[in-house]
Amino acid sequence: MLGNLSEKLQNILRQLRGKGRLSEKDVDVAMREIRLALLEADVNFRVVKDFIASVRERSVGEEVLKSLTPGQQVVKIVHQELTGLLGEKQSRLSLSSSLPAIMLVGLQGSGKTTTAVKLANYLRRQGRRPLLAAADTYRPGAVEQLRVLSESAGLTCYDQPGARPVEICTGACRLAEREGYDPVIFDTAGRLHLDQEMMAELQEIKGSLNPEEVLLVIDAMTGQDAVNTSVEFNRQIGLTGVILTKLDGDARGGAALSVRAVTGCPLKFVGVGEKVDALEPFYPERMASRILGMGDMLTLIEKAGAELDLEKARQLEQKLRRSQFTFDDFREQLEQLRRMGPLQDLVDMLPGAGLPKGMKQLPVDEGQLGRVEAIISSMTRVERRDPSIINSSRRRRIAAGSGTKIQDVNRLLQQFSQMQRMFKQIGGMGKRPQFKRLKKGKRGKGFPFR
Amino acid sequence: MNLLQRFKTGLTKSRQEFTRRLGQLFTPGEITPEFFEQLEEALILGDVGAVTASELVEALQDRARQERLKEKEAVKGLLVSQITELLETPVLNLETEPLVILLVGVNGSGKTTTAAKLAWIYRQQEKKVLLVAGDTFRAAAIDQLQIWAERAGADIIKQQPGSDPAAVFFDALNAARARRAQVVIGDTAGRLHTRANLMQELEKIQRVVNRSLEGQPHLVWLVVDATTGQNGLAQARLFNQSVPVDGLVVTKLDGTARGGIVVAIQKALGIPVCYLGIGEGIDDLAPFRAGEFARALLE
């Protein structure tokens, strides 16, 4: 696999440190690496070619800022240009007409049905009342899938057995008008951009209902073909935006850049998981970092900000200082951590440079966390407040109750008492320990239960 | 109809434009310095990957020089035969009864549809086929397979949505023995290879299947979408780590994507391709032929 690009570039260009300006030769060396990084990230070959040409032109003769090495300077330029290409700012949905509709289109298996429900859920959280229209009448079980997903999310889904997709969408719009749903989201069948008959069907839906947004749903793992798909969908139907799905894996998502470059359509959302709330607005800068393999600190910081309850954090800090940290508090901490999403995602967002080699490949064991939670939940309230009373018979009970081994319970108790001791020391100093450690640029020992 | 013909029939304007652009490259004549670059470009555009493409073309240049090839056609033919050779690893065939095939892959790659198509192929051979609805996670995946099973004329073993897939497989293999099924095709939920917990779930399925078969081997096939780019290699690598993968099924080859990532997978991991998905119909699954695939890649 290709390593961290910025790190690699810095190695190559280390010998150039101290130069005032980037020479043509310096830039050429860097461009070869960047070309490879972009191709490995699945950016389309021709898009890469154009991109490299424009970055090269901009970089040659550029003054190297004092604070940066030439390598960093090139990366910075590339990052800026990439961000620019991906669309300077975040692009919002346009839903202003009296009855707005959103049509989702794409290839088979790109994730339209899941995305439709996620999008409806997102809009509901914004105070709207969305209606889903099950217009995929081709794939066996597709209507059922949308119905089940909508129901479990508490959303309304419209379908009309035996009807044609355009009739279903029309029916949904009528229902929306009558009962005040807004907007209507059309989940259409997956189709190949080559399939004239199927593309004509989309043209018909678009022509007769005039949806305000026509969004192409595209898999983040898509390779070079993203260009053909998006150009054809755009040419034949006319797109207003793009949603990139399955970005929770390790795909770099270069397709985002290809699609944006050849269609000019803005990316609006990214799908980041299987759950109904795993849809996020698209941020060009973060995507640029990801394509370049530079980590995504911004998302991580924002996630932490949104999910950690400040009031609770303050309470916790007080408890820590008074060394009253109990298993109840600990469990709450675990829950907060979990609300930030799968741990693996959090690890992936850390930039590679700061982490020891191999760290990125370390599978973060969600099950381990679950076991810790199970152990704590198997304790009585009294035990959670005062673990010192947990004797061997209680240990056996807790292990049986949580489905773990006594050794696991022992390990947790031991680590917990270490933690308490540590907090006691820190509490005496009256400072906030985590921040101090971060500033020193060292990562803590990490999560204690591995 | 062979694969190449299928590729060629029913293609619309855009496909023709696409192939025409690449086709210009291969107008007859003597090779030029740019010719090898163009070949490399064609390979990269087919998702073979930049590194693999440049390795292939470098080897090609050496051999072309050795053999003093001058004509474009001859050089291209040499590249096709090199890729063919690379892709021609024999597919592992089992003579066991029941023959058990487990389909695994990332979300949306086409596992359920492929399961149905495979069932159809074995039904054409008059075999008794049992489908296993092992995707208990995705809403309506069981219904989808049920509909396909009826179309293919295969039995299906299923449980409630949300139940433990390993338990479904345990039941299914017992049923297969009782009903004397000759072929068992297992659908599984789509999972991203980076999800450690979901990969462990897959390992558990594999353990249950192994135990239930009492040492008799079975097959695991990874279903890869032809539009997949370089991430396909990471997919193959991690799936192969969890449950050794015996073969690949490449789906959605009826579009403009070439599925070149399997060349990189084959080169890195030596996993052969078994079948190609070339349409939405139940009979749209073709046995893999390396030569045709290599030619189509450079078409």
Side-chain angles (χ1 to χ4, degrees):
Chain A
M1 265 334 269
L2 199 92
N4 186 292
L5 178 71
S6 49
E7 205 177 316
K8 219 172 171 180
L9 276 177
Q10 276 162 41
N11 286 339
I12 293 174
L13 298 175
R14 189 161 290 153
Q15 67 264 35
L16 302 174
R17 198 172 278 160
K19 279 203 178 180
R21 277 171 198 280
L22 292 171
S23 77
E24 220 158 296
K25 216 180 118 214
D26 308 342
V27 173
D28 280 341
V29 174
M31 286 307 129
R32 262 200 297 279
E33 283 304 315
I34 287 164
R35 172 180 175 272
L36 200 59
L38 293 175
L39 285 175
E40 288 289 308
D42 288 322
V43 181
N44 182 270
F45 184 85
R46 299 199 173 96
V47 176
V48 172
K49 229 176 174 172
D50 294 347
F51 179 78
I52 293 288
S54 78
V55 173
R56 193 179 175 283
E57 203 171 305
R58 208 192 123 181
S59 303
V60 173
E62 180 98 354
E63 222 173 284
V64 178
L65 295 174
K66 282 211 180 73
S67 57
L68 298 173
T69 62
Q72 283 172 329
Q73 179 78 0
V74 173
V75 170
K76 199 179 144 228
I77 295 170
V78 170
H79 191 259
Q80 274 173 3
E81 289 281 317
L82 259 186
T83 309
L85 240 178
L86 284 166
E88 284 296 345
K89 316 191 280 268
Q90 191 201 329
S91 175
R92 291 174 192 284
L93 283 180
S94 147
L95 295 171
S96 51
S97 65
S98 60
L99 180 67
I102 303 171
M103 177 157 119
L104 299 182
V105 300
L107 297 179
Q108 292 94 338
S110 56
K112 286 172 298 304
T113 304
T114 314
T115 302
V117 178
K118 287 179 182 173
L119 192 58
N121 183 61
Y122 177 87
L123 289 164
R124 184 177 51 185
R125 278 167 69 175
Q126 310 237 306
R128 303 188 81 118
R129 201 163 161 248
L131 177 69
L132 289 149
D136 181 356
T137 55
Y138 301 92
R139 180 164 61 89
V143 172
E144 181 70 6
Q145 183 184 358
L146 188 68
R147 211 174 45 74
V148 172
L149 281 176
S150 312
E151 266 168 28
S152 63
L155 292 156
T156 317
C157 167
Y158 178 87
D159 79 85
Q160 203 178 312
R164 294 171 53 233
V166 64
E167 291 162 0
I168 295 171
C169 294
T170 311
C173 287
R174 265 195 224 116
L175 178 74
E177 228 157 336
R178 213 165 45 235
E179 298 187 7
Y181 287 106
D182 157 63
V184 185
I185 300 171
F186 307 155
D187 175 32
T188 66
R191 66 201 71 213
L192 280 171
H193 48 291
L194 299 180
D195 193 329
Q196 302 257 276
E197 221 171 283
M198 291 292 280
M199 292 303 270
E201 181 194 284
L202 289 183
Q203 284 160 355
E204 190 188 356
I205 297 175
K206 196 192 170 195
S208 62
L209 295 164
N210 199 23
E212 239 185 307
E213 291 274 5
V214 180
L215 304 177
L216 176 72
V217 179
I218 195 159
D219 189 326
M221 296 179 275
T222 310
Q224 300 288 320
D225 198 51
V227 162
N228 298 320
T229 310
S230 55
V231 164
E232 280 307 308
F233 269 96
N234 193 33
R235 187 179 67 83
Q236 297 185 46
I237 302 157
L239 303 170
T240 61
V242 178
I243 299 182
L244 198 66
T245 59
K246 303 178 209 171
L247 209 59
D248 46 331
D250 56 357
R252 300 270 276 281
L257 186 66
S258 307
V259 172
R260 168 77 204 192
V262 297
T263 66
C265 294
L267 280 111
K268 299 209 168 176
F269 290 96
V270 294
V272 290
E274 291 182 333
K275 293 202 182 113
V276 70
D277 58 353
L279 185 76
E280 292 174 356
F282 173 81
Y283 295 101
E285 210 200 292
R286 295 176 187 178
M287 195 66 215
S289 301
R290 181 176 178 129
I291 292 175
L292 287 174
M294 285 167 52
D296 188 358
M297 281 311 276
L298 282 172
T299 306
L300 182 63
I301 291 163
E302 192 164 276
K303 273 204 162 182
E307 305 292 347
L308 296 177
D309 191 323
L310 272 183
E311 185 49 36
K312 277 186 183 154
R314 214 165 300 141
Q315 280 172 12
L316 180 73
E317 197 188 328
Q318 294 218 321
K319 278 187 173 165
L320 284 181
R321 289 202 188 171
R322 278 184 265 130
S323 28
Q324 286 172 342
F325 189 69
T326 67
F327 266 119
D328 281 317
D329 302 317
F330 185 56
R331 187 166 55 174
E332 206 166 283
Q333 287 291 295
L334 284 182
E335 267 164 27
Q336 287 208 354
L337 195 63
R338 280 200 151 182
R339 244 176 285 143
M340 287 171 67
L343 278 181
Q344 187 63 57
D345 290 4
L346 298 182
V347 173
D348 287 343
M349 276 179 226
L350 295 167
L355 296 176
K357 268 223 171 86
M359 179 76 195
K360 285 255 160 178
Q361 275 74 48
L362 262 179
V364 175
D365 191 354
E366 300 272 341
Q368 190 81 284
L369 269 189
R371 280 192 284 281
V372 168
E373 277 192 297
I375 293 175
I376 300 177
S377 301
S378 295
M379 298 176 184
T380 66
R381 221 173 296 158
V382 184
E383 285 166 350
R384 285 203 289 269
R385 223 169 296 140
D386 182 13
S388 64
I389 64 166
I390 302 178
N391 57 21
S392 63
S393 132
R394 284 178 192 260
R395 277 167 213 233
R396 224 170 306 142
R397 193 204 75 240
I398 291 167
S402 57
T404 55
K405 294 197 190 88
I406 295 186
Q407 290 93 305
D408 296 324
V409 179
N410 283 341
R411 199 178 317 131
L412 178 64
L413 286 170
Q414 214 175 13
Q415 281 164 329
F416 185 76
S417 81
Q418 273 172 9
M419 226 158 85
Q420 267 186 328
R421 266 204 303 280
M422 196 177 82
F423 286 143
K424 229 175 234 168
Q425 286 170 358
I426 298 161
M429 299 191 297
K431 284 254 166 76
R432 285 161 77 177
Q434 277 100 346
F435 288 109
K436 237 177 125 187
R437 187 174 276 147
L438 272 182
K439 266 187 206 145
K440 266 197 259 161
K442 260 193 202 157
R443 241 174 140 260
K445 278 253 167 63
F447 196 70
F449 309 101
R450 300 192 51 107
Chain B
M1 203 167 16
N2 72 23
L3 178 67
L4 209 62
Q5 283 167 329
R6 285 209 95 130
F7 270 170
K8 282 179 177 165
T9 50
L11 296 183
T12 56
K13 214 175 112 210
S14 60
R15 170 77 190 231
Q16 280 161 359
E17 249 167 49
F18 181 77
T19 49
R20 190 172 46 79
R21 253 183 303 158
L22 282 177
Q24 286 167 344
L25 247 167
F26 302 122
T27 46
E30 297 225 331
I31 48 173
T32 53
E34 298 87 52
F35 180 67
F36 288 101
E37 256 172 64
Q38 289 168 329
L39 278 179
E40 191 175 328
E41 177 180 342
L43 288 174
I44 292 174
L45 282 171
D47 285 318
V48 169
V51 178
T52 310
S54 90
E55 282 170 9
L56 285 171
V57 170
E58 259 166 48
L60 179 73
Q61 260 172 313
D62 288 348
R63 270 193 62 186
R65 213 174 299 126
Q66 275 169 17
E67 297 179 20
R68 296 175 204 282
L69 296 180
K70 290 263 160 41
E71 293 293 315
K72 284 181 180 176
E73 250 337 286
V75 176
K76 186 191 160 196
L78 185 59
L79 182 59
V80 167
S81 69
Q82 276 181 343
I83 296 173
T84 306
E85 219 171 284
L86 182 68
L87 290 174
E88 239 164 16
T89 321
V91 172
L92 178 61
N93 245 328
L94 295 179
E95 298 291 328
T96 58
E97 203 166 302
L99 170 66
V100 180
I101 303 170
L102 220 61
L103 297 174
V104 302
V106 298
N107 313 62
S109 56
K111 289 171 296 302
T112 308
T113 311
T114 300
K117 289 174 176 175
L118 278 172
W120 174 261
I121 286 179
Y122 286 110
R123 285 295 299 138
Q124 297 311 101
Q125 302 169 8
E126 307 279 314
K127 297 251 169 78
K128 190 169 165 60
V129 180
L130 189 73
L131 281 165
V132 188
D135 182 356
T136 57
F137 177 79
R138 179 165 58 94
I142 300 172
D143 303 308
Q144 185 183 351
L145 192 67
Q146 168 95 55
I147 295 166
W148 279 119
E150 279 158 24
R151 288 187 198 167
D155 281 356
I156 181 170
I157 295 293
K158 55 175 185 173
Q159 286 181 15
Q160 290 306 305
S163 50
D164 179 0
V168 181
F169 275 93
F170 182 80
D171 274 4
L173 289 173
N174 282 340
R177 263 187 298 269
R179 300 182 196 181
R180 300 191 186 287
Q182 292 162 292
V183 183
V184 177
I185 299 160
D187 185 22
T188 62
R191 65 199 77 226
L192 288 181
H193 48 290
T194 48
R195 284 279 148 95
N197 52 343
L198 294 181
M199 295 310 278
Q200 277 165 11
E201 180 188 274
L202 199 59
E203 287 163 29
K204 182 178 169 191
I205 293 175
Q206 165 103 335
R207 276 199 303 277
V208 168
V209 170
N210 274 336
R211 205 176 308 140
S212 182
L213 288 173
E214 292 168 352
Q216 184 187 311
H218 67 279
L219 297 171
V220 179
W221 289 351
L222 178 69
V223 181
V224 181
D225 185 331
T227 58
T228 310
Q230 298 313 297
N231 191 250
L233 192 54
Q235 287 170 26
R237 192 166 275 142
L238 289 180
F239 269 99
N240 194 39
Q241 260 169 33
S242 279
V243 284
V245 175
D246 304 295
L248 302 174
V249 178
V250 186
T251 60
K252 306 180 203 174
L253 266 169
D254 44 337
T256 41
R258 304 302 170 109
I261 188 63
V262 299
V263 177
I265 295 176
Q266 172 73 265
K267 209 157 182 277
L269 303 166
I271 303 173
V273 185
C274 310
Y275 282 100
L276 304 178
I278 46 179
E280 287 187 307
I282 198 160
D283 57 348
D284 285 330
L285 192 69
F288 177 71
R289 283 194 197 80
E292 286 172 20
F293 185 87
R295 264 193 297 281
L297 191 62
L298 287 168
E299 181 87 348

